[in-house]
Amino acid sequence: MSALTPASEVMLRHSDEFIKRRVLFAGDLQDTLPALFAATEVRVHTQQYPHWQLLNRAMGDNAQFGLTLDAAFVAECDTLIYYWPKSKQEAQFQLCNILALLPVGADVFVVGENRSGVRSAEQAVAGHATLMKIDSARRCGLYHGRLDVQTTFDLTDWWQSYPLHDLTVKTLPGVFSRDGLDTGSALLLSTLENSMQGKVLDVGCGAGVVAAVLAKLSPKVKLTLSDVSAAALDSSRATLAANSIKGEVIVSNVYSNITGRFDMIISNPPFHDGLPTSLTAAETLIRGALKHLPIGGRLRIVANAFLPYPGMLDATFGSHEVLAQNGRFKVYQATVGLPPRDPKKKKK
């Protein structure tokens, strides 16, 4: 069992209220509380693949991963427990989807850390439910109300796009750099060469920006894009389609669903899991790269200059180089070299 987050610890203070309810958990849930929760029925929907992996082991088909909810999945639920994410746009998208499917009169609970902006919950559901704060602990707020009027949800209303050179980037709420190219990705793009060949894996593909630019520079590249976010995966597919680019887009928790080897692995790895700084994904990316790169294969990443990636790269590859840098970011590259020859072995 994973340690419970502060938000889940707040929910446990009220757990006796849910014993006879049919509960749907959703939002930025990062622990196994639903698997432990005493209720008539408990279901979970998440847009984050690692969260689904954690819960699926204990809950099976009662844990669902995807961009939007299946109406049949929540048909009998009468209570929502929603974990507020750090992105307000993401919260608005998810709540609009969920509250379009729950019946009028359903209880709505919203919980989250104060620094994540959970105070915006009241405004996010205004006109559909009136929320009131019912608890405050562990630097979290818990809000409760009842659904008065169902929302109207149409996925097409939530798509955004922006131009990047001669490309069109398609994005959804919660996707990194939804409104425009971020500084780190721009620096990474500046290092891409023309006429590259071979197989390239983009880990943490987001809206598919890096892969799309690479494909335009090097049309012969064979692309595989992966991410843990359902919104990112759909955004990447839409970006590739909008620009007539071929590529495989798969869900994978770093290398969990990746097979085979690639000539290059490229990434703008996240260093936040929720709000606290976390290097787990990046460390897995670096240390696991050797299994997916041949001799001469390259790992290229962009990262905040203060993060301790040089040591990880040197420990894994033996060395690294800095391809570009500005005041905040650096682009690192490490190449798989020939293993050192054992001097004890004689030549045949």
Side-chain angles (χ1 to χ4, degrees):
M1 183 189 74
S2 64
L4 295 182
T5 63
S8 286
E9 290 179 349
V10 172
M11 289 309 308
L12 278 179
R13 290 155 60 101
H14 302 265
S15 59
D16 290 347
E17 300 177 18
F18 298 91
I19 293 174
K20 296 183 179 181
R21 299 174 185 261
R22 296 182 180 275
V23 180
L24 171 68
F25 281 86
D28 191 28
L29 183 66
Q30 299 181 34
D31 58 34
T32 57
L33 179 63
L36 310 171
F37 213 63
T40 300
E41 185 173 25
V42 178
R43 298 198 167 202
V44 181
H45 176 269
T46 177
Q47 291 186 354
Q48 296 296 318
Y49 187 64
H51 302 169
W52 175 84
Q53 286 179 304
L54 186 66
L55 290 161
N56 176 251
R57 299 186 192 109
M59 302 182 66
D61 292 341
N62 280 348
Q64 184 185 76
F65 166 77
L67 177 65
T68 57
L69 274 133
D70 180 350
F73 184 76
V74 298
E76 297 184 2
C77 294
D78 56 28
T79 301
L80 169 66
I81 299 177
Y82 183 79
Y83 282 63
W84 190 265
K86 63 180 179 179
S87 166
K88 182 179 178 180
Q89 291 178 333
E90 181 180 355
Q92 291 172 325
F93 172 88
Q94 293 174 350
L95 285 169
C96 185
N97 176 214
I98 297 167
L99 298 184
L101 299 175
L102 290 178
V104 170
D107 282 285
V108 177
F109 294 84
V110 179
V111 64
E113 294 189 40
N114 294 328
R115 60 177 178 169
S116 73
V118 69
R119 297 180 183 89
S120 299
E122 295 173 271
Q123 180 184 0
V125 299
H128 301 280
T130 301
L131 298 182
M132 295 183 62
K133 180 181 279 190
I134 62 171
D135 199 357
S136 181
R138 300 301 306 274
R139 298 181 180 177
C140 295
L142 173 61
Y143 296 78
H144 170 255
R146 286 186 173 85
L147 180 61
D148 299 317
V149 180
Q150 287 180 310
T151 57
T152 301
F153 179 80
D154 185 343
L155 181 58
T156 58
D157 294 337
W158 295 88
W159 281 101
Q160 285 187 194
S161 62
Y162 61 86
L164 179 63
H165 307 308
D166 59 343
L167 297 169
T168 298
V169 179
K170 306 284 286 184
T171 63
L172 285 165
V175 177
F176 183 62
S177 296
R178 185 192 183 206
D179 300 318
L181 187 65
D182 62 285
T183 305
S185 293
L187 187 65
L188 180 61
L189 293 178
S190 73
T191 69
L192 298 181
E193 305 92 347
N194 290 310
S195 302
M196 293 174 60
Q197 295 186 21
K199 298 168 63 179
V200 176
L201 171 64
D202 180 1
V203 177
C205 56
V209 175
V210 173
V213 171
L214 181 57
K216 288 299 183 180
L217 290 173
S218 305
K220 293 183 179 181
V221 162
K222 186 176 180 180
L223 292 170
T224 299
L225 293 72
S226 72
D227 207 293
V228 297
S229 162
L233 295 169
D234 276 39
S235 296
S236 281
R237 293 187 185 102
T239 295
L240 295 184
N243 297 285
S244 300
I245 296 170
K246 293 182 179 180
E248 182 181 16
V249 182
I250 60 176
V251 60
S252 184
N253 185 0
V254 193
Y255 299 116
S256 68
N257 297 337
I258 301 297
T259 58
R261 293 181 181 268
F262 300 84
D263 298 286
M264 175 181 283
I265 298 172
I266 194 166
S267 183
N268 182 352
F271 67 94
H272 287 94
D273 182 9
L275 287 168
T277 298
S278 173
L279 304 179
T280 303
E283 184 172 3
T284 302
L285 171 72
I286 292 171
R287 301 195 188 284
L290 292 181
K291 295 180 180 178
H292 298 281
L293 291 169
I295 300 300
R298 296 171 289 167
L299 172 67
R300 186 178 300 184
I301 62 174
V302 63
N304 289 71
F306 70 85
L307 294 172
Y309 294 163
M312 294 183 193
L313 291 167
D314 290 347
T316 303
F317 290 86
S319 64
H320 74 278
E321 56 184 319
V322 177
L323 299 183
Q325 60 183 310
N326 55 30
R328 184 179 174 189
F329 295 96
K330 289 184 178 181
V331 178
Y332 300 102
Q333 179 166 282
T335 304
V336 181
L338 290 170
R341 186 174 67 87
D342 188 343
K344 296 180 180 179
K345 290 184 178 181
K346 296 181 179 180
K347 293 183 179 180
K348 294 184 179 180

